[in-house]
Amino acid sequence: TLIEDAARVTGADDLASSSLRVIADHIRACAFLVTDGVMPGNEGRGYVLRRIVRRAIRHGYKLGVAEPFFHKLVASVEREMGAAYPELNQAAEQVTRVLHQEEERFAETLTQGMRLLEEAIDNLSGSEIPGEAVFKLYDTYGFPEDLTADIARERGLTIDHRGFAAAMERQRQRARAASKFQAGDGKLPSLDLDTAFLGYETTSAEGRVVALLVDGQAVESLPAEQAGIVVLDRTPFYAESGGQVGDRGTLVSADGATFVVSDTQKLGSAVGHLGRVTEGSLSVGATLSASVDAAARGATVLNHSATHLMHAALREVLGGHVQQKGSLVDPQRLRFDFSHFQPVSAAELAQIEARVNREIRANAAADTEEMSYQDALAAGALAFFGDKYADQVRVLRLGESSVELCGGTHVQRTGDIGLFKILAESGVAAGVRRIEAVTGRNALVQVAASEDTLKQVAGLVKGGRDDVVEKVSQVLARNRSLEKELARLKAQLASGGARDLLAEAQEVAGVKVLAARLDGADAKALREAVDQMKNKLGSGVVVLGAVEDDKVRLVAGVTQDLTDRLQAGNLIKPVAERVGGRGGGRPDMAQAGGNEPGRLDEALTLVSGQVAQALE
């Protein structure tokens, strides 16, 4: 059973332990959630999953388990429930990776958090843990309130829920204050109006003004130079949605009044054209010619369709666990966020890019169809656990493998995209990765820029594009060889080179003292030289100084037999102060620096006096 397997991986002997029952129950819930596409996060379903995982880990901690263990039970859930839930068999490897990663992340802070909680409990004057302490555990160590409450309950204590809520509210207020823009909060009203969208078929059409807004308030007219929002009864302008930015363009009346649209947003079921009157004035009831910036829309369309092809490629290359977590599609580039547990490798990115470009070259026609949500699922359209969909949805088919629900504007054929080029891949949150890419003309510009860079590099190494890698490798190999030779020469210089440094050592109160200047040596070479001189002296004090880039470097060393009487850190302080600096270190080794190289010789003369004074 799961309880027996939980006992095996935790090393627990008592099968009646409540902690084992919690772990067995929680591994089932977590396995099903991750299989359904939920990833650990800080909000919504992801936060519920994270809390469940952390509660299970905490019960493992109670059983004395310090290493990740929870993910090892996925195989047990698959064995017990895989027949009834076959999706788990396919996702088991992914579930294991996700839970293991979450365990490692939480394990880093669990010990520290428990220590803080134990301190708070030890310092209690009553039986209630203060809300500020509960909040600090949550804010700093990721302990949910209910996790702290569980631990408190086990100790016969309570927590200050009201104080915790007050601390949370103060944090929200700080966050809201920090995120406000000078231009206002940007909220738009929701109107009880409908706008017919014509943008699937055309980028220009006539529409009648049904509302005008200034600062969210309805007005009857917009004079010249007035910024506001124009609402039409029908429009070819696409309102920002699904990651696709709103269209821009112009609205022009028969008498020449012009409204330049800088953005288009949804106002409930209405479409708001945001912008400014540049000529004449507009009034409610006027008929306007609406013209979308066709070039910007066209570039946006290429990027939007490419996100669908890339989503399908991501699922093919990385696995079916990949789900869209957010996107931004504008005329310049596309940005696509998706669920994945680790960075996407260069080889995987190359596969993804190649698959998308293969679909582009195939030049398959885009197929869009309005249908019921259930019919869309039956047709193979992607729909994800927890997302909300209308009864009637728009299904877009692109290429061989992309079938998704989407209300955005798209290409007629995949070949219209021209070229797809990935620019960057990065992490944006726990379990969420981001790919940025370009298409069409912008992709060609990116390729041309890369070609130009390659030519410049080839020119610098006196090679061509065919042998540039070999030439650069040769340069790097020679550079490494020269660095080793330079380090060797610096070490030789620091050890005295042709000088007999040992002959420069003086005897002070029965102790050999060497204070010398070795210009040209860096800090590492000075440290190595001090160690060498200490070994050669056998017993004594060594202080070496050098000037490098108009900065003074100092290193002091004391042999082990003398550190009870002489401290390297104490010896170097007055020397460093004389050259305008400071320093310190261990009894046997100390470092310092300064910015007055002209006083280095004078500073080194202080060493003998420091030794004599310390030995008095």
Side-chain angles (χ1 to χ4, degrees):
T1 66
L2 289 179
I3 291 179
E4 292 172 341
D5 289 343
R8 174 177 52 79
V9 299
T10 59
D13 298 324
D14 181 11
L15 293 181
S17 167
S18 60
S19 289
L20 289 180
R21 290 198 299 272
V22 169
I23 292 169
D25 176 72
H26 285 17
I27 188 61
R28 287 197 303 266
C30 293
F32 295 152
L33 282 168
V34 177
T35 298
D36 281 335
V38 181
M39 301 290 284
N42 290 325
E43 57 185 31
R45 304 186 305 272
Y47 184 54
V48 173
L49 173 60
R50 173 162 286 170
R51 289 170 65 177
I52 295 173
V53 173
R54 292 186 170 185
R55 189 166 187 266
I57 295 171
R58 206 266 303 173
H59 277 275
Y61 185 86
K62 285 179 60 180
L63 295 172
V65 184
E67 299 298 322
F69 72 94
F70 193 53
H71 67 285
K72 298 176 183 178
L73 294 170
V74 173
S76 302
V77 180
E78 182 186 9
R79 182 194 67 223
E80 296 292 329
M81 302 180 175
Y85 189 32
E87 291 88 346
L88 180 59
N89 298 324
Q90 301 171 4
E93 184 178 350
Q94 159 71 3
V95 174
T96 301
R97 283 195 294 258
V98 169
L99 296 184
H100 191 191
Q101 186 181 61
E102 185 67 13
E103 279 190 274
E104 290 182 327
R105 181 176 291 111
F106 187 48
E108 296 172 1
T109 59
L110 179 60
T111 302
Q112 293 174 298
M114 288 299 295
R115 187 180 301 117
L116 177 66
L117 181 56
E118 293 290 353
E119 290 177 0
I121 291 174
D122 290 342
N123 294 328
L124 281 182
S125 57
S127 61
E128 184 179 69
I129 300 175
E132 284 293 342
V134 178
F135 174 75
K136 185 175 181 181
L137 279 165
Y138 165 79
D139 192 46
T140 307
Y141 300 106
F143 274 46
E145 180 189 12
D146 61 346
L147 178 58
T148 306
D150 281 350
I151 299 170
R153 193 178 306 112
E154 292 164 3
R155 308 290 181 88
L157 304 172
T158 60
I159 68 172
D160 177 13
H161 293 282
R162 184 174 297 178
F164 172 78
M168 283 289 291
E169 181 57 30
R170 286 193 293 272
Q171 184 194 53
R172 293 190 190 100
Q173 290 174 359
R174 288 192 296 268
R176 282 195 292 266
S179 65
K180 284 184 179 178
F181 295 101
Q182 290 184 350
D185 60 12
K187 290 183 179 179
L188 297 174
S190 180
L191 304 181
D192 188 19
L193 296 169
D194 291 316
T195 300
F197 177 58
L198 311 176
Y200 292 135
E201 296 81 24
T202 183
T203 55
S204 62
E206 287 192 346
R208 184 173 60 84
V209 178
V210 294
L212 296 171
L213 302 174
V214 174
D215 295 330
Q217 300 299 314
V219 296
E220 288 300 313
S221 64
L222 294 179
E225 300 305 319
Q226 176 65 57
I229 300 175
V230 176
V231 181
L232 304 177
D233 62 344
R234 54 205 302 268
T235 182
F237 281 73
Y238 181 82
E240 181 176 333
S241 180
Q244 180 176 333
V245 298
D247 281 333
R248 56 181 188 244
T250 57
L251 306 177
V252 181
S253 68
D255 60 2
T258 303
F259 183 88
V260 176
V261 180
S262 57
D263 192 13
T264 308
Q265 296 285 333
K266 289 185 175 180
L267 309 179
S269 297
V271 172
H273 305 77
L274 285 66
R276 180 182 297 274
V277 178
T278 58
E279 290 186 36
S281 63
L282 300 181
S283 300
V284 173
T287 298
L288 305 179
S289 294
S291 299
V292 174
D293 182 334
R297 162 76 81 81
T300 302
V301 159
L302 303 187
N303 288 331
H304 195 170
S305 295
T307 62
H308 284 244
L309 295 180
M310 184 174 68
H311 192 185
L314 284 165
R315 291 173 63 84
E316 291 170 2
V317 173
L318 303 181
H321 65 277
V322 169
Q323 295 184 18
Q324 178 176 339
K325 293 297 182 182
S327 67
L328 177 64
V329 181
D330 63 25
Q332 283 71 47
R333 65 176 61 192
L334 65 91
R335 188 181 74 199
F336 189 80
D337 297 346
F338 57 97
S339 55
H340 192 51
F341 49 87
Q342 64 187 17
V344 184
S345 70
E348 290 169 332
L349 288 173
Q351 288 185 59
I352 293 162
E353 187 174 277
R355 284 173 184 256
V356 173
N357 282 309
R358 184 181 66 198
E359 293 285 4
I360 291 171
R361 291 192 303 274
N363 198 28
D367 177 38
T368 57
E369 185 179 357
E370 294 273 349
M371 63 179 71
S372 71
Y373 174 63
Q374 293 301 324
D375 287 344
L377 293 183
L382 280 181
F384 298 117
F385 172 79
D387 288 352
K388 295 180 180 180
Y389 300 98
D391 293 335
Q392 285 293 118
V393 294
R394 192 167 185 263
V395 178
L396 171 69
R397 298 173 184 272
L398 277 177
E400 293 183 355
S401 55
S402 176
V403 184
E404 292 192 45
L405 309 181
C406 184
T409 56
H410 289 277
V411 297
Q412 296 297 310
R413 306 186 73 90
T414 58
D416 298 344
I417 298 171
L419 179 65
F420 172 79
K421 185 68 180 171
I422 293 176
L423 300 179
E425 188 273 349
S426 61
V428 294
V432 180
R433 307 298 300 179
R434 170 175 292 172
I435 285 180
E436 296 178 67
V438 286
T439 61
R441 180 180 177 278
N442 288 334
L444 291 173
V445 169
Q446 180 66 29
V447 170
S450 298
E451 285 285 314
D452 185 57
T453 300
L454 180 61
K455 289 178 182 177
Q456 291 183 47
V457 173
L460 290 172
V461 296
K462 295 180 172 57
R465 60 176 298 146
D466 294 333
D467 64 351
V468 66
V469 174
E470 180 183 353
K471 292 285 187 180
V472 171
S473 297
Q474 291 172 0
V475 170
L476 291 175
R478 177 161 176 73
N479 187 55
R480 286 192 291 269
S481 177
L482 291 173
E483 286 178 346
K484 290 180 180 179
E485 178 66 11
L486 178 61
R488 185 186 69 78
L489 292 173
K490 283 186 174 182
Q492 182 180 356
L493 176 64
S495 62
R499 291 166 58 187
D500 183 3
L501 283 177
L502 288 179
E504 299 180 27
Q506 302 176 345
E507 188 167 312
V508 178
V511 172
K512 295 175 183 177
V513 178
L514 172 61
R517 175 170 179 158
L518 297 173
D519 284 341
D522 58 18
K524 179 181 178 183
L526 281 180
R527 289 194 299 271
E528 292 175 352
V530 167
D531 284 337
Q532 290 177 21
M533 291 301 103
K534 283 167 59 179
N535 290 334
K536 290 180 179 180
L537 288 174
S539 175
V541 173
V542 180
V543 179
L544 299 180
V547 175
E548 184 181 31
D549 298 330
D550 292 326
K551 297 291 183 183
V552 178
R553 298 186 185 280
L554 293 165
V555 179
V558 177
T559 56
Q560 200 65 43
D561 62 308
L562 298 173
T563 54
D564 58 335
R565 294 185 291 161
L566 297 168
Q567 305 284 309
N570 294 335
L571 290 175
I572 208 170
K573 285 179 182 178
V575 181
E577 289 171 356
R578 186 60 60 95
V579 294
R582 59 183 181 179
R586 306 188 309 268
D588 63 327
M589 178 70 75
Q591 296 185 101
N595 53 20
E596 297 182 33
R599 305 185 70 180
L600 176 57
D601 293 330
E602 175 190 349
L604 290 172
T605 63
L606 301 176
V607 175
S608 295
Q610 286 294 117
V611 173
Q613 182 178 347
L615 295 175
E616 287 180 355

